[in-house]
Amino acid sequence: MKYLEAIGKYFIMIWEVFKKPTKWRIMKTLILKEIDELIFGAMGIIIFISFFIGGVVTIQTALNLNNPLLPKSLIGFATRQSVILEFAPTFTSIIMAGKVGSYITSSIGTMRVTEQIDALEVMGINSLNYLVFPKIVATMLYPFAVAISMFVGILGGWVAAVFGGFAPSGDFIQGLQMDFDSYHVTYAFIKSIVFAFVIATVPSYHGFYMTGGALEVGKASTTSFVWTSVVIIIVNYVLTQLLLG
Amino acid sequence: MIEVENIHKSFGDNHVLKGISTVFEKGKTNLIIGQSGSGKTVFIKCLLGLFEPDEGQICYNGQYYSKLSTKERRNLRQEMGMVFQGSALFDSMTVEGNVMFPLDMFTNQSQSEKQDRVDFVLKRVNLIDAHKRYPAEISGGMQKRVAIARAIVMNPKYLFCDEPNSGLDPKTAILIDNLIQEITQEYDITTVINTHDMNSVMEIGEKIIFLKNGFKEWEGTNKEIFKTDNKAVTDFVYSSELFKKVRQMYIEERN
């Protein structure tokens, strides 16, 4: 019952976010600020993780394809498929749920605790629109981050394959081009847009409706990370079934 | 003027406000006092429209809040200024940004007009050199003055203050009290202050409402509070030795 109530409250919050918009002149500045913090601020960790994950996927694939009859190009093929279909959109989103989600929950939660949200409400401002809408718009640029993650992940795979002696560069690149289906990239981008919405809204919900003090802000950040990850994993399953099944 | 008619407010089984009626007059500093848990904060949040009363009406200069449309309520909110207990300044903005915020949101004034207005109100609250500083970089007393400046920048008709001098030293607390009273008289606004501070009661309490367990236990002025025999009020007001002596002296003088 408690969960049903929370789900209902979450969807009411989403509805409220789009009501009574803030002046565009103000909103534009807020959106640019959020793009800087939520997307560009996360690029460093996304690039770092993607590079090494790509490398690890390549090494593990190479170690499991030790049959001399299997061509080395399969290493590139497997790396490409793993990175594009799953690692770049889903794994990166889980990382983002930790980094960006915690930031969103703690910043909104702190505003709640210090009555800054009440101050907005008293002024007659739709605080949900003011605080959450710019985050939703900013995270819609998330597919851009996922595209970079795909590129860097595959680059990491190539570096691991070539410099680790698992496959020659030509074979690896041939594998990258083998049976390429552009729909897989579209599928990854569709997933990442949905994940971006989840990353912007679930932590906002936990921050906005939290009660208590500084300790509860920390607890809310942890809870928000857990629930954002759970929602991403469930949505990932549903979207995969719908789009690829 | 704000007229409150028999308001009730409950949270689940907790009946917080139990039929409070009163009138907050224009151009006066109206104080709400009472022990912690007596319903003061809930009452002020009802006045601000942050909580909707379960029963009863609140009337702002003849407009019943419950009968207003969403747009009318929004417009009414823009006539209200609020000074929160913890100041509630926006951490990410400078002092100037905080004070300019309502002007940015609700007016189409040019940058120079807004700047003039911000400079004027900051000067009015005696803050001259803090424009570019962030809330974390200024003292509690200065934060309160910024909060007052933000609350009055839109020329509000109603000013609400939740414990405006909590956490301040006695000297700064008196300065803040006097500033609020001066602003109230200067701009002829209806000011409602929620306080625990007995100095405030004595200094600026032109009208005082004492809440106890969600009921309005007593109502009067700072002069009348000396004379009252209401036990709940005297227990609360004269709980400190200092105020007991003040009262004793007052009674002796009177006799």
Side-chain angles (χ1 to χ4, degrees):
Chain A
M1 203 62 196
K2 200 176 76 178
Y3 293 123
L4 274 178
E5 191 186 325
I7 291 167
K9 208 167 160 187
Y10 169 78
F11 283 107
I12 290 169
M13 181 198 86
I14 303 293
W15 173 248
E16 292 289 328
V17 166
F18 293 97
K19 280 166 71 178
K20 202 187 141 201
T22 305
K23 265 186 183 175
W24 172 242
R25 190 166 45 81
I26 310 271
M27 185 52 78
K28 193 174 64 180
T29 318
L30 293 172
I31 290 170
L32 292 174
K33 190 170 155 272
E34 296 293 357
I35 288 172
D36 185 43
E37 280 179 8
L38 305 184
I39 302 295
F40 292 114
M43 285 314 298
I45 188 80
I46 289 175
I47 289 171
F48 178 80
I49 287 171
S50 302
F51 185 86
F52 286 97
I53 289 288
V56 169
V57 168
T58 297
I59 294 168
Q60 289 186 349
T61 308
L63 293 175
N64 285 289
L65 293 178
N66 52 6
N67 188 328
L69 294 175
L70 292 172
K72 295 285 184 194
S73 59
L74 279 182
I75 298 169
F77 174 79
T79 303
R80 183 199 75 200
Q81 290 298 88
S82 309
V83 169
I84 289 179
L85 289 173
E86 214 47 51
F87 282 102
T90 312
F91 198 84
T92 309
S93 298
I94 300 288
I95 303 296
M96 290 284 275
K99 190 191 182 298
V100 172
S102 303
Y103 164 75
I104 292 174
T105 306
S106 56
S107 60
I108 296 180
T110 304
M111 287 186 77
R112 168 65 73 198
V113 169
T114 55
E115 296 179 309
Q116 292 175 51
I117 292 178
D118 287 342
L120 288 170
E121 292 287 336
V122 167
M123 288 179 206
I125 294 165
N126 177 359
S127 55
L128 277 168
N129 179 268
Y130 182 82
L131 295 172
V132 183
F133 185 75
K135 291 176 174 55
I136 293 176
V137 176
T139 53
M140 289 301 113
L141 288 182
Y142 182 52
F144 162 77
V146 169
I148 289 178
S149 168
M150 286 174 184
F151 174 77
V152 175
I154 290 170
L155 180 72
W158 178 82
V159 169
V162 175
F163 294 97
F166 295 106
S169 177
D171 285 359
F172 188 86
I173 291 170
Q174 191 195 351
L176 290 181
Q177 294 167 340
M178 192 193 295
D179 294 331
F180 178 69
D181 183 354
S182 60
Y183 178 69
H184 286 171
V185 178
T186 310
Y187 155 78
F189 285 160
I190 292 171
K191 277 206 309 189
S192 61
I193 286 181
V194 178
F195 294 162
F197 188 79
V198 171
I199 289 167
T201 55
V202 173
S204 295
Y205 169 83
H206 284 280
F208 194 84
Y209 292 110
M210 66 147 296
T211 50
L215 183 66
E216 282 73 19
V217 174
K219 283 182 185 167
S221 295
T222 311
T223 314
S224 120
F225 171 64
V226 171
W227 279 108
T228 309
S229 307
V230 167
V231 173
I232 285 172
I233 286 163
I234 293 170
V235 168
N236 186 33
Y237 175 81
V238 173
L239 285 177
T240 305
Q241 182 65 45
L242 287 173
L243 298 170
L244 294 182
Chain B
M1 186 167 73
I2 304 172
E3 290 161 89
V4 181
E5 297 170 12
N6 191 33
I7 64 162
H8 290 257
K9 180 71 188 168
S10 298
F11 297 93
D13 297 335
N14 186 13
H15 198 168
V16 182
L17 299 180
K18 299 164 184 166
I20 295 178
S21 299
T22 190
V23 175
F24 296 114
E25 289 169 44
K26 196 178 172 190
K28 282 189 177 175
T29 43
N30 301 275
L31 269 58
I32 305 168
I33 61 170
Q35 287 180 326
S36 297
S38 58
K40 300 191 300 293
T41 301
V42 173
F43 186 34
I44 209 161
K45 286 194 171 178
C46 286
L47 295 174
L48 282 161
L50 290 175
F51 292 153
E52 190 101 22
D54 301 331
E55 268 180 60
Q57 300 268 24
I58 303 173
C59 182
Y60 302 84
N61 283 347
Q63 302 178 88
Y64 282 97
Y65 189 79
S66 60
K67 291 178 184 167
L68 298 178
S69 66
T70 311
K71 196 180 171 190
E72 287 168 331
R73 285 182 183 195
R74 205 183 306 155
N75 292 339
L76 178 66
R77 287 256 181 96
Q78 286 167 27
E79 294 177 351
M80 295 176 179
M82 172 74 186
V83 179
F84 286 88
Q85 189 173 358
S87 300
L89 300 177
F90 303 120
D91 302 325
S92 58
M93 294 180 195
T94 59
V95 163
E96 187 178 82
N98 267 284
V99 180
M100 201 179 281
F101 184 75
L103 299 173
D104 281 335
M105 294 300 284
F106 302 113
T107 70
N108 291 315
Q109 292 177 6
S110 67
Q111 189 60 30
S112 64
E113 285 173 321
K114 286 188 282 188
Q115 190 63 54
D116 288 348
R117 179 71 186 149
V118 169
D119 291 345
F120 174 78
V121 290
L122 282 175
K123 199 174 167 193
R124 181 65 195 83
V125 298
N126 303 319
L127 272 176
I128 311 289
D129 298 322
H131 286 55
K132 301 292 176 200
R133 290 160 79 181
Y134 284 89
E137 297 169 348
I138 58 177
S139 67
M142 287 166 89
Q143 286 180 11
K144 283 279 158 63
R145 281 188 275 166
V146 178
I148 294 170
R150 185 177 67 181
I152 63 169
V153 75
M154 294 281 285
N155 276 326
K157 288 183 181 166
Y158 314 97
L159 178 64
F160 299 94
C161 308
D162 189 12
E163 312 231 359
N165 44 25
S166 70
L168 300 179
D169 63 85
K171 199 177 168 187
T172 312
I174 290 168
L175 285 175
I176 295 291
D177 280 344
N178 291 339
L179 180 63
I180 292 170
Q181 190 173 38
E182 283 164 24
I183 286 168
T184 302
Q185 288 163 358
E186 197 175 311
Y187 297 101
D188 196 25
I189 51 185
T190 309
T191 298
V192 182
I193 304 171
N194 186 354
T195 188
H196 275 124
D197 189 66
M198 282 307 115
N199 280 325
S200 303
V201 173
M202 302 305 177
E203 291 282 334
I204 60 166
E206 291 173 278
K207 174 167 184 174
I208 302 161
I209 291 167
F210 178 75
L211 298 188
K212 189 183 176 193
N213 299 328
F215 292 102
K216 184 181 82 179
E217 179 75 26
W218 182 85
E219 187 172 326
T221 65
N222 55 355
K223 296 199 172 53
E224 289 163 350
I225 208 164
F226 272 116
K227 302 172 195 166
T228 183
D229 292 323
N230 184 308
K231 193 173 179 318
V233 178
T234 51
D235 284 352
F236 177 75
V237 175
Y238 305 110
S239 53
S240 81
E241 286 303 316
L242 175 67
F243 280 102
K244 273 179 194 159
K245 283 180 184 162
V246 170
R247 189 174 197 233
Q248 190 60 38
M249 283 164 65
Y250 173 81
I251 291 166
E252 283 167 10
E253 256 180 42
R254 199 174 55 173
N255 296 332

